[in-house]
Amino acid sequence: GHFASCALTLVAFIMIQSEACSVAMGHRLLLGKDKCTVRFVGEIPSYENYKEGDIWVGVEWDTLGRGKNNGTLGDTSYFDCAPDMGSFLKLEKAKSGCGLDFLLALRDKYEVEAGVDKDDLFVYSVRDLKMSVDFVGVEKIQKRQQNYFQADNVSLSGGRLAFCPTVAGSIFSTCPHIQQLDLSFTLLADFREVCLIVCELPLLAYCRLSGNKFVEPDTASLAIAVSEREKELGREEKSGMQALQTFV
């Protein structure tokens, strides 16, 4: 039933280490308390201390004066933004602030609120290898899981949410009772991701999206993506799409 799959899903994504963070053009990043948008990804041969194969990420900050340039280094313009709004970051630095999918963002908030150290979710083998076989704090984790299964009001506001999970049905099987959802001031940039998320929430009545910097959506491709996801979900009951009409 749904509750059995809930337990498997939540335990699975708690175990996942978000090492596959991607950084691409248009993605939003959260570094410290500052947000920015990726405007360039590539090599910069003229950059100080450049080594062959080094990948740099050019970003445009949301906060005026947070950067050091306008996207130009020397005589080369890599992207265009207002003066002192641009910066170039090493790829690893940029990855540390990359966006998460809905379940990872939920896990990220859960770990902070529950006060569980990520290392406590693993044990070590005799060869000192980290293994996701058992973990400390099981009662605390199980209690938090139960809260997720039953939650009807969820807020990921201010976090690193940027994407819908690629596996259709994973949100519904983890937290199917959500009626109110706050996705304000996150790293969401593509409205398609919002639509795919709410497709999995049949009880959703309200979705808050203020404070996000969305790019202009392609309505045709958006409709196709939603239709395909609803077919993947394989159910005919209503989704939470109507809730987008009431977002603030």
Side-chain angles (χ1 to χ4, degrees):
H2 289 311
F3 289 102
S5 61
C6 282
L8 289 175
T9 302
L10 191 53
V11 170
F13 83 71
I14 285 175
M15 295 298 184
I16 293 171
Q17 293 297 296
S18 183
E19 296 176 349
C21 281
S22 62
V23 176
M25 293 283 288
H27 281 190
R28 300 274 290 157
L29 307 177
L30 176 61
L31 295 164
K33 296 182 179 180
D34 297 313
K35 293 177 183 176
C36 57
T37 303
V38 175
R39 300 300 188 196
F40 169 84
V41 180
E43 297 187 36
I44 305 179
S46 61
Y47 208 49
E48 183 180 1
N49 300 321
Y50 168 78
K51 295 180 181 178
E52 187 175 355
D54 281 354
I55 301 298
W56 291 84
V57 179
V59 301
E60 179 180 3
W61 297 97
D62 291 4
T63 305
L64 184 64
R66 175 62 178 79
K68 297 181 178 180
N69 54 60
N70 64 351
T72 297
L73 288 177
D75 297 327
T76 305
S77 177
Y78 293 94
F79 65 96
D80 184 50
C81 69
D84 298 325
M85 292 286 283
S87 293
F88 290 90
L89 312 173
K90 289 186 176 181
L91 180 58
E92 291 307 312
K93 173 68 174 178
K95 280 186 174 182
S96 70
C98 69
L100 304 175
D101 72 32
F102 186 92
L103 295 184
L104 288 174
L106 192 64
R107 181 205 69 172
D108 200 48
K109 180 174 182 179
Y110 148 77
E111 288 178 348
V112 171
E113 291 189 353
V116 178
D117 191 296
K118 294 181 181 181
D119 287 335
D120 288 342
L121 303 179
F122 299 89
V123 295
Y124 291 86
S125 70
V126 292
R127 296 183 180 180
D128 202 33
L129 297 176
K130 185 179 283 189
M131 301 181 67
S132 55
V133 176
D134 198 359
F135 44 85
V136 179
V138 62
E139 292 181 1
K140 189 180 292 185
I141 291 172
Q142 288 178 338
K143 183 177 180 180
R144 192 62 180 172
Q145 285 182 357
Q146 292 172 356
N147 291 339
Y148 277 138
F149 300 156
Q150 302 301 326
D152 60 9
N153 189 339
V154 170
S155 173
L156 296 178
S157 179
R160 292 167 57 192
L161 171 68
F163 311 106
C164 177
T166 56
V167 179
S170 56
I171 295 177
F172 176 75
S173 62
T174 302
C175 38
H177 304 294
I178 295 177
Q179 298 179 39
Q180 297 188 54
L181 184 60
D182 187 351
L183 305 181
S184 61
F185 299 96
T186 66
L187 299 183
L188 285 165
D190 187 346
F191 201 73
R192 172 181 175 275
E193 302 297 330
V194 178
C195 292
L196 295 181
I197 289 171
V198 302
C199 272
E200 303 212 12
L201 301 172
L203 301 181
L204 188 66
Y206 175 85
C207 182
R208 188 175 186 218
L209 295 172
S210 57
N212 293 302
K213 288 196 170 187
F214 291 109
V215 297
E216 188 71 26
D218 179 340
T219 53
S221 61
L222 192 63
I224 293 173
V226 170
S227 176
E228 291 178 347
R229 177 53 62 95
E230 289 180 333
K231 288 180 182 178
E232 286 183 282
L233 292 172
R235 60 178 196 271
E236 297 181 356
E237 68 259 27
K238 66 176 182 178
S239 70
M241 289 298 293
Q242 71 276 8
L244 294 183
Q245 299 175 3
T246 60
F247 77 83
V248 180

